[in-house]
Amino acid sequence: MMNLSMWLKPEEVLLKNALKLWVTEKSNDYFVLQRRRGYGEDSGGLTGLLVGTLDTVLDSTAKVAPFRIIHQTPDSQVYWNIACGASLEEISQHWDWLQQNITRTLSVFDSGEDITSFVQGKIRGLIAEEGTSASDEEDPERFREAVLRFERLFGLPQREKLVTYFSCSYWRGRVPNQGWIYLSTNFLCFYSYMLGNEVKLVYPWDEVSRLERTSSVLLAESIRVCVRGEDHFFSMLLRLQQTYVIMQQLADYAIVRFFDKETFNAEHPLANPLHITQRALEIHARNQSFRAFFRLPQEENLCEVYESFLWVPFCHVNTLGKICVSENYLCFASQDGSQCHLIIPLWEVRILQIFLQTAKKSVIETALEKKKCLVWSCQTTIVVLLLCVFVARELCVFLRFGILSDLPPPSAESVGQQEAPSISSVIRNCVLKERMKEQSWQIHFAEYGRGTGMFCTKKTRDLIVRGVPETLRGELWMLFSGAVHDMASHPGYYGRLLEECMGSSSLACDEIERDLHRSLPEHPAFQSDTGISALRRVLTAYAHRNPKIGYCQAMNILTSVLLLYAKEEEAFWLLVAVCERMLPDYFNRRIIGALVDQAVFEELIREHLTQLTEHMTDLSFFSSVSLSWFLTLFISVLPIESAVNVVDCFFYDGIKAILQLGLAVLDYNMDNLLCCHDDAEAVTVLNRFFDSVTNKDSPLPVTVQHASATANDKSIQKVDISNLIKEAYEKYGDIRTEEVENMRKRNKLYVIQTLEDTTKQNVLRVVAQDVKFNAAQLDELYMLFKVSLCVSVSKGLCSPALQNHDPSLPYLDQYQLDQSQFSSLFNLLQPWTTHTHARSLARSAFRLLDENGDGLVNFKEFICGLAVYKSDVFCPSGRAKVDLQEYLKQWQEDLQRREENIKDLPRINQVQFIGLTKTLYGVFHGDEEEESLYRAVARVTSLLLRMEEVGRKLQESSPQKMPQNTPTSTAQPETSPTLPTSPETETLAEGEGDQPDSPVSQQETAPSHSDITPTSTSRPSTPTSSPTGTSSPVLDTPTDTPSSPSTLRDGDWSFSFEQILASLLNEPSVVRFFERAIDTDSLIAHARKNQLKDAH
C-alpha cells in the first residue's frame, strides 16, 4: 500500500464493472474522488471483507491504493485515473488543488476532448515537476535533458544558463496553454504545444516592468508578468510561491546589473551569471532576509535554522521560536506572537553547558558577559553545531586578541570610542519628564538586559514610541540599527579611512564643503569649527568608503542629527547602516530607493485612505511632496526636537515607521486636503501642519529648538509629536515589515523601467528631428540597440568603457555600443544580402560614425548611419533625370556649409579602390539585376582608369599651362596625401579570391591589381571628359589633409569621392539599386528575430 498521495500518469479506466469495488466520496462535472471498499466506514460488510481479503492475498506490487481521483471526459463513459492516496486527508489535498486551479477554468473549452487533453497535459507536467523538485546537483541527468530542450527550443546565446523550469499554464485570452516555463539568468521563456497550437515566448528580464501574484474569478492564483505594457499570466503552478520568488530574484538581479550599476556589487556572490543556480538564489535570499531582520553586517551568512524554546526570565515561560546561527551570531526570533527577538554575539559567550534530556532533545545553557544566562531547549543536531561554532569562535578570538578574558565588551559605551569631544555637550540636564523616561529605560534594562543580547519585545517598542531619553539616544540608535555590530567587527576601520582620505580632493569633497554650513545652521553645535570638522570627517570618510554613492544631498542633514547624539565613529557607522542597509539605493544620482518607497507609499494610501484616493485621482502629488520625508526621515520638515523622535522609531522599525507616520499625517489633515482645489493649496496645508508639530517633552534649550512661523499664532492647534507617532502605530501598526519588503521588490522593477522609458523618450525626441524613421520604427530600433548592449553585458563581453553606466551623463551617451556590438547589429539591419565583406563594411561605417574617436557610438550616431538607407542619396526626389554638374555643385556647396559637421573625404588609393570594387560586387551578389550591376562596376572601373590616364598624360605634356584655379593641386604631385592602408583594406586585399564570380564578358571584366597599375608617376586629375561626355572640370575634395601623413609612391594613383560618385551615377542599374525602396519594418523584424541567434 502506498504511504503518500501522488499524481499518476493518466490511464484510462472503465467504471462499468468497477463500481462495486469503489465508493464515490466527492464528485463534480470533471473529477470524482473514490474510496475502495474494505477501507473506512463500510469495511465490515461482506463486500468490504471480500475486497480487503483480495488486497491482502495479492503480492505487494499488485496492491491498490485505497483512495483515488479520476477524471471524467464530459459526455463520455471514459474515465482517467490521475491520482491516488493512502488516506482521505492526503488525497483531499490533491482534490482541493484541482478545485482551486483546474476545475473553474475547464468551462472555457468547447469540447470534451479538449478538456481531457488539457487535464492530461497538466497532470503529466505535475508529475515531471515533482521529479524536478530535487536540485540539478541531485538529479543532473534530468536537468541536463531540460537544458538541451531549452537550448533547442529557444536558440538563445550559448552562454545563457538555465536556472530552473516548472510546469504551468499560460493564458492567451480565456484559453490556457499547458506547457513549461523556463527561467534562465537573462530570459523568461515559455513553450507549449497542444492540439496543434504552438506557443513560444522569450522575454528578457530587463524588459519586465511588473511582476506580482494575482488572483481572479477565473484564475485562483497566478503570476502576472508585464513586458512592454503587455500582461502575461502564468497559473496552475505546483509551487507557485517558490516560482514567484525565483522570478523576482532573477528580474531584480538583471535590472540592477544592466541599468543600476551604481548599486551593483562586483563582489556579489551572484555577480557571475554562470554561478546562478536555483540553490544559490535560495541561499542568497535566505541570507538577505536573515541579515535584514536582525540588522547584521553584510558579511554574515545564515548557517542553520532550528525550532527551539527559549526560557524568557521576565515572564517565566518558554517561548517558541527559531534559532538562527551565523558565523559570528546566535539569534532567536519568537513565533508565538510575542514579538520577542534576541541577538547574541558569539564572542560574548563565556560558558556553554549542554544537558542531554533525550535522544532528540537537549537543553543548552549559555553564560554571557555580565553574568547573563540563557536556557534553550532544542534539537540535538543544533547542539553539535553550536559547540563547533563556539569552539571556532573561542580559537578565533584567542588568536585575534590574545587573552579571552581581557576582551572588552562590544557595548556602545566602550567599543571603538574616540577621544574626540562629544557634540552633545550643548544639551542641558534632563527635566522631570526626561528623568522619568530614563527611569523607565533603566527598569527595562534591569529586566530585559542592556546592550547586545537585550531582549526586544512589545514593551521595547512602547518605550520607543513614547520617546527615547537624550542621554540614551546614541546608544539605542547604535543597538537597534545594528551599527554596533558593524563597529565591533571592524575595529580601527574608521581611523584608517580618515588617514587615507584626509587631504584628498574629489568632486564629492567639493560638494561636501559646499553643504557643510547648510547643515542645521540654527543649532549651536554647528556654529563652531568643532561640529563642522566632525561633520566633514564623517561625510568624507563615507564618500571614500563607498565611491559609488560618494556624497548626495540630504546626507549632510542626516549626519548632522546623528552627530548630536553619537560620537564621531558611531555616527559614521550609523550612516553606513542607513545608506547601505536600512535605506538601500536612496543616496545615489537617481534616488531609486526613495522613488520605490514613494510607490509603496502610494499603494498604502490607496489601501488605507480610500476617501483621499477617490478625491485625488492622481496620487503623484504625494510622491513629489513626500520625497523629502523619505530622504531626510522628516528632519527637513519637522522641528529638530520633534524629528529625533521619528528617527527613534526609524532605527527600531525601519522604513515601516516612516510609512506609518506619512499615512498618519495625511489622515490627520484629511478634511483640509479634501477641500483643496489644487496642489499648491495642499502643500500649504501640509506645511502649516508641520509647523504646528511640537515636542512638549523635549529637554532641548529654547535657543536650540526650531522656531516655526506659526509659533506665536494661538489660533493654530499644536500637535505633539508623541501623540502623532502613537496614533500612527495604533492605526497603521498592522502593516508588516515583510509586506513592505515585498512591495519594495514589486515596485522596484516598475520604477527602474519608468526611468528607462524616460531616457528612451528623451533620446527618441532628439533623434527624430534628424532622421526619417517614424516613431514606431525608432522605438523598435532603440530596443534593438539596447538589447545588443545587454546581451554583451550578460556574456561578460562588454568593453571596459561600457561596464560603468553613469546615469548622470546626457541621455544620448548613457548607452553606447563598441565596434563589435555595432558590427553585429549593423549587419542585421543592412538591407543587402550577406556578403563576404560585411564585417569590413561595418568596421568602416563604425569609424565613420565615431566622430569623437572614443571607440563608442551612441544611438543618435547609429541611427544617422542607418538613415542613409531611407535618404535620397543618389537622386534628388522628384527628378526624372539627373543633372550631374548641378548636383555635384550643389553637393560641394552643401559640404562647405556643413564643413564643421561632416568629415572630409580624402582621396582613395589603389588598394582601397580595389577593396571598394570587391565590396560592391559582394553587395550586388544575389540581386535580380546581378549581371547588369557587375557590368556597370566594370564600366565604372575602366572609365575611372581612363580618366586618370588621360589626366596624367595632359599634365605631363603641359605641366606649365595648368590653370591656377584648377580644383586639383599640381604643385606637389609627388606628395598628394591619401588614406593610409587600414586593416579593413588589408582584409579586402587578402579576400580577393572570396568575391563572387562576375558573369560579365572578358572585355568588360574589372581589371586586376596588376592590370590597372600605371607605370608612370601618379598625378591628380585634370579637366577631362565627364562621364556624360561633356568637358567639365572634375570636382575634388581638399587634398592637403593633415590627418593623412602618408604620401603616394611612384606608380600609385588615386581617385576623389566626386569622381567615383559621378561615374556611378551614370550607370542606371546602380542608381536603381541604391534608390530601391527599403522595407524598414521587415529589416527590423528580421533583426529582432535573429538578434539573439546572432549572439552565439
Side-chain angles (χ1 to χ4, degrees), residues 519-538:
S519 309
L520 300 184
E522 72 282 354
H523 201 288
F526 297 99
Q527 294 174 357
S528 65
D529 186 63
T530 301
I532 295 297
S533 298
L535 180 60
R536 179 188 294 110
R537 287 192 295 270
V538 173

Side-chain angles (χ1 to χ4, degrees), residues 817-824 839 842-843 846-847 855-856:
L817 300 183
D818 59 18
Q819 181 173 314
S820 174
Q821 298 157 351
F822 172 86
S823 298
S824 299
R839 292 182 57 190
R843 285 201 302 267
F846 178 83
R847 296 235 284 259
L856 300 173

Side-chain angles (χ1 to χ4, degrees), residues 20 67 74 130 132 213 223 232 347 375 387 421 513 547 551 565 593 597 602 609 625 635 665 721 812 955 959 988 993:
K20 296 180 181 180
F67 295 91
E130 286 182 338
T132 63
R213 293 180 58 173
I223 298 177
H232 305 271
W347 62 74
V375 180
L387 188 59
E513 289 296 328
Y551 169 77
Y565 299 98
D597 284 342
E602 285 189 20
L609 303 176
V625 78
I635 296 173
V665 168
I721 186 64
L812 284 173
Q955 187 171 358
L988 294 174

Side-chain angles (χ1 to χ4, degrees), residues 391-651:
V391 171
R393 284 298 309 169
E394 285 269 331
L395 180 60
C396 179
V397 171
F398 179 80
L399 293 176
R400 183 176 176 185
F401 296 100
I403 302 175
L404 187 64
S405 58
D406 293 338
L407 278 177
S411 62
E413 293 92 344
S414 60
V415 176
Q417 303 290 0
Q418 289 194 339
E419 299 299 327
S422 173
I423 298 179
S424 59
S425 60
V426 299
I427 301 176
R428 66 179 183 178
N429 294 330
C430 297
V431 293
L432 180 60
K433 288 186 178 181
E434 189 74 4
R435 290 176 181 174
M436 293 176 61
K437 288 183 182 179
E438 286 186 3
Q439 187 175 6
S440 299
W441 275 99
Q442 295 299 334
I443 295 173
H444 183 275
F445 291 151
E447 189 174 1
Y448 296 88
R450 183 170 185 173
T452 53
M454 181 180 74
F455 286 92
C456 295
T457 64
K458 289 182 178 179
K459 188 175 181 180
T460 309
R461 176 179 281 111
D462 293 339
L463 290 175
I464 290 289
V465 172
R466 288 168 52 189
V468 176
E470 300 284 329
T471 56
L472 297 176
R473 189 159 268 142
E475 174 187 346
L476 294 178
W477 284 0
M478 289 288 292
L479 178 65
F480 296 141
S481 67
V484 63
H485 306 306
D486 289 319
M487 190 168 70
S489 58
H490 297 84
Y493 177 79
Y494 179 67
R496 292 192 298 272
L497 272 183
L498 290 180
E499 293 177 1
E500 295 173 4
C501 67
M502 280 305 164
S504 61
S505 178
S506 65
L507 179 60
C509 293
D510 296 338
E511 294 175 344
I512 290 171
E513 289 296 328
R514 182 189 61 199
D515 290 344
L516 282 177
H517 295 280
R518 304 177 185 175
S519 309
L520 300 184
E522 72 282 354
H523 201 288
F526 297 99
Q527 294 174 357
S528 65
D529 186 63
T530 301
I532 295 297
S533 298
L535 180 60
R536 179 188 294 110
R537 287 192 295 270
V538 173
L539 292 174
T540 305
Y542 185 78
H544 187 73
R545 164 189 167 86
N546 194 342
K548 289 184 178 180
I549 293 179
Y551 169 77
C552 295
Q553 287 187 349
M555 290 176 64
N556 60 319
I557 298 176
L558 177 61
T559 308
S560 300
V561 175
L562 298 178
L563 282 169
L564 291 176
Y565 299 98
K567 295 185 178 180
E568 188 174 316
E569 184 177 4
E570 293 175 340
F572 169 79
W573 286 111
L574 284 170
L575 184 62
V576 170
V578 171
C579 295
E580 300 178 10
R581 186 166 57 243
M582 302 186 72
L583 296 179
D585 304 342
Y586 260 62
F587 301 98
N588 53 39
R589 293 179 179 88
R590 298 198 290 182
I591 56 171
I592 290 175
L595 297 177
V596 170
D597 284 342
Q598 284 182 307
V600 173
F601 188 49
E602 285 189 20
E603 280 195 39
L604 293 175
I605 291 174
R606 292 188 180 94
E607 181 179 350
H608 296 277
L609 303 176
T610 55
Q611 188 177 0
L612 189 61
T613 305
E614 294 171 358
H615 177 72
M616 303 184 67
T617 55
D618 184 10
L619 297 181
S620 59
F621 160 74
F622 295 111
S623 296
S624 59
V625 78
S626 65
L627 181 60
S628 61
W629 304 358
F630 293 98
L631 284 175
T632 65
L633 307 179
F634 283 92
I635 296 173
S636 63
V637 295
L638 287 175
I640 182 62
E641 65 274 10
S642 301
V644 291
N645 286 38
V646 179
V647 179
D648 295 340
C649 299
F650 167 74
F651 279 125

Side-chain angles (χ1 to χ4, degrees), residues 148-447:
L148 294 175
R149 190 165 60 249
F150 169 74
E151 294 175 349
R152 174 177 55 83
L153 288 175
F154 303 105
L156 296 175
Q158 293 179 350
R159 292 173 61 92
E160 187 63 25
K161 179 178 174 59
L162 177 65
V163 176
T164 187
Y165 59 103
F166 299 97
S167 170
C168 71
S169 293
Y170 168 70
W171 288 79
R172 174 175 290 180
R174 296 177 58 86
V175 179
N177 295 271
Q178 177 61 33
W180 292 86
I181 186 172
Y182 297 84
L183 309 179
S184 69
T185 52
N186 298 297
F187 296 92
L188 181 154
C189 306
F190 175 83
Y191 184 82
S192 170
Y193 186 83
M194 287 188 61
L195 307 175
N197 181 31
E198 183 183 46
V199 179
K200 183 186 295 185
L201 305 176
V202 179
Y203 293 119
W205 288 117
D206 55 83
E207 294 184 10
V208 175
S209 59
R210 285 286 187 185
L211 183 63
E212 57 187 358
R213 293 180 58 173
T214 61
S215 60
S216 62
V217 177
L218 189 62
L219 298 175
E221 201 167 16
S222 62
I223 298 177
R224 172 196 171 207
V225 182
C226 182
V227 182
R228 298 192 188 183
E230 183 179 357
D231 288 334
H232 305 271
F233 294 91
F234 300 91
S235 66
M236 303 184 193
L237 287 145
L238 189 61
R239 291 183 288 273
L240 187 138
Q241 178 61 22
Q242 179 188 14
T243 307
Y244 173 70
V245 171
I246 293 176
M247 293 171 69
Q248 196 175 56
Q249 286 181 287
L250 290 172
D252 180 71
Y253 167 79
I255 286 288
V256 172
R257 186 157 53 99
F258 291 145
F259 305 136
D260 191 24
K261 294 187 178 179
E262 288 179 286
T263 60
F264 181 70
N265 184 7
E267 299 178 358
H268 192 282
L270 302 178
N272 186 350
L274 298 179
H275 294 165
I276 298 179
T277 62
Q278 180 177 345
R279 180 174 177 79
L281 289 172
E282 292 171 351
I283 292 174
H284 180 65
R286 190 176 65 167
N287 290 335
Q288 277 188 321
S289 300
F290 168 67
R291 290 191 293 261
F293 184 84
F294 293 105
R295 310 274 175 82
L296 296 179
Q298 295 294 330
E299 298 82 12
E300 291 301 312
N301 293 307
L302 183 61
C303 298
E304 292 291 341
V305 179
Y306 291 98
E307 282 195 352
S308 170
F309 285 93
L310 172 64
W311 173 255
V312 184
F314 48 84
C315 57
H316 307 286
V317 296
N318 280 316
T319 300
L320 174 64
K322 289 186 177 181
I323 291 180
C324 303
V325 184
S326 68
E327 295 92 336
N328 299 290
Y329 294 90
L330 175 65
C331 306
F332 175 84
S334 65
Q335 295 180 288
D336 57 1
S338 62
Q339 299 180 7
C340 173
H341 66 271
L342 177 69
I343 303 173
I344 302 175
L346 290 178
W347 62 74
E348 285 195 356
V349 178
R350 292 294 174 264
I351 301 174
L352 183 67
Q353 296 182 350
I354 302 174
F355 305 95
L356 199 63
Q357 288 186 332
T358 64
K360 295 185 178 180
K361 293 289 184 180
S362 301
V363 175
I364 307 172
E365 181 177 348
T366 57
L368 310 180
E369 290 181 348
K370 305 177 183 178
K371 299 181 180 180
K372 183 189 299 183
C373 293
L374 301 172
V375 180
W376 317 75
S377 176
C378 57
Q379 295 181 357
T380 305
T381 313
I382 195 175
V383 174
V384 179
L385 178 65
L386 280 174
L387 188 59
C388 295
V389 172
F390 176 68
V391 171
R393 284 298 309 169
E394 285 269 331
L395 180 60
C396 179
V397 171
F398 179 80
L399 293 176
R400 183 176 176 185
F401 296 100
I403 302 175
L404 187 64
S405 58
D406 293 338
L407 278 177
S411 62
E413 293 92 344
S414 60
V415 176
Q417 303 290 0
Q418 289 194 339
E419 299 299 327
S422 173
I423 298 179
S424 59
S425 60
V426 299
I427 301 176
R428 66 179 183 178
N429 294 330
C430 297
V431 293
L432 180 60
K433 288 186 178 181
E434 189 74 4
R435 290 176 181 174
M436 293 176 61
K437 288 183 182 179
E438 286 186 3
Q439 187 175 6
S440 299
W441 275 99
Q442 295 299 334
I443 295 173
H444 183 275
F445 291 151
E447 189 174 1

